Amino acid sequence: MTASANERFSGVFTALVTPFSSGGVDFEAFDALVERQIAAGVSGLVPVGTTGEAATLSDEEADQVIRRTVKVAAGRAIVIAGAGSNSTAVAIEKAQRAKAAGADGLLVVTPYYNKPTQAGLVGHYQAVCGATDLPVMLYSVPGRCGVEIAASTCARLRETCPNVVAIKEAGGSVARVTEIRRACGADFPIHSGDDGLTLPFLASGAVGVTSVVSNVAPAEMVAMVSAWQRGDWTNALSLHDELSELFDALFIEANPGPAKAALAIAGLASPELRAPMAQMEPDNLARLSGVLSRFRANPVFQEIR
């Protein structure tokens, strides 16, 4: 029996960081990170998105990262590659390159900087979706892009683009889940794009999260979402409460700076970033380090690990 869209997009999808070493992609560290995600039970992997510093990757590097994700995952998790741009023509090219690299689907963010109208968004997504047969997850993140996908626009795209199959909603409002469900139907998968809102999103009808925090705490994020899905709401809320300090600390500066710093503290990857991103401010790094120490010592998570 073919899985429904809600089933295919259910659970934790990790927005993967791209580890660097001496300016290049550190594929050894990347492979280990992907394996760690799969061992923790994540449902999906999202390479070359915002968290993966896609804006500073060359086309060749992006292709390599997607191919590596597909190879290491080996069918054990769905691979949804970032393919967004503020140029429709470039977004089409990225979509086609991601398919050639073996991605199972695409995460397509709204055009940034341009601030198109809703009509412009419709035209953009229709053009991208018309150029590929891969499933497309819309990505609305107005804090970075300056424009939000209206619920009515989401519904129009679902009606006119058969391969629009889900949305990552990162506008910081739980009310958006209800708005999108009303417009698109309860069978249209919604992901939280904000880790701290994962549980409220699930309670409102979302089916999963595209997570930054799961780079650092994949098993714990999976445990929280899984608890909710099996109806163990008390445990889900307890895990949410225990993770809340980590949610805050990993966004104390712009993503993915804190996530990479946390992975470095854990000895899993270098904190190296590409300009214009810079290393964390010392006070913020100290705060993050303290949160990680408490997190690793937390007895609530001992059995999960």
Side-chain angles (χ1 to χ4, degrees), residues 178-265:
T178 301
E179 293 172 12
I180 294 169
R181 281 166 57 83
R182 282 177 175 168
C184 298
D187 61 339
F188 186 69
I190 301 170
H191 268 213
S192 174
D194 298 286
D195 281 284
L197 293 180
T198 301
L199 194 58
F201 263 55
L202 293 172
S204 298
V207 300
V209 57
T210 302
S211 173
V212 175
V213 172
S214 58
N215 280 282
V216 178
E220 292 80 2
M221 287 297 296
V222 169
M224 182 184 71
V225 173
S226 297
W228 174 265
Q229 291 173 333
R230 65 175 180 268
D232 188 355
W233 302 313
T234 299
N235 190 38
L237 181 57
S238 175
L239 292 169
H240 165 84
D241 289 344
E242 297 297 336
L243 281 163
S244 62
E245 192 178 17
L246 190 61
F247 292 155
D248 292 341
L250 285 176
F251 291 93
I252 193 172
E253 290 186 9
N255 178 48
K260 281 194 159 182
L263 290 171
I265 291 169

Side-chain angles (χ1 to χ4, degrees), residues 72-136:
V72 177
R76 295 175 291 171
I78 188 172
V79 176
I80 306 296
S85 173
N86 62 338
S87 162
T88 300
V90 173
I92 288 172
E93 181 183 354
K94 286 186 175 183
Q96 293 172 339
R97 293 175 71 100
K99 179 178 180 179
D104 298 307
L106 307 170
L107 179 67
V108 182
V109 72
T110 54
Y112 38 86
Y113 185 75
N114 315 63
K115 296 182 70 173
T117 63
Q118 294 300 305
L121 290 179
V122 169
H124 175 79
Y125 280 110
Q126 287 179 339
V128 175
C129 290
T132 180
D133 58 358
L134 286 182
V136 170

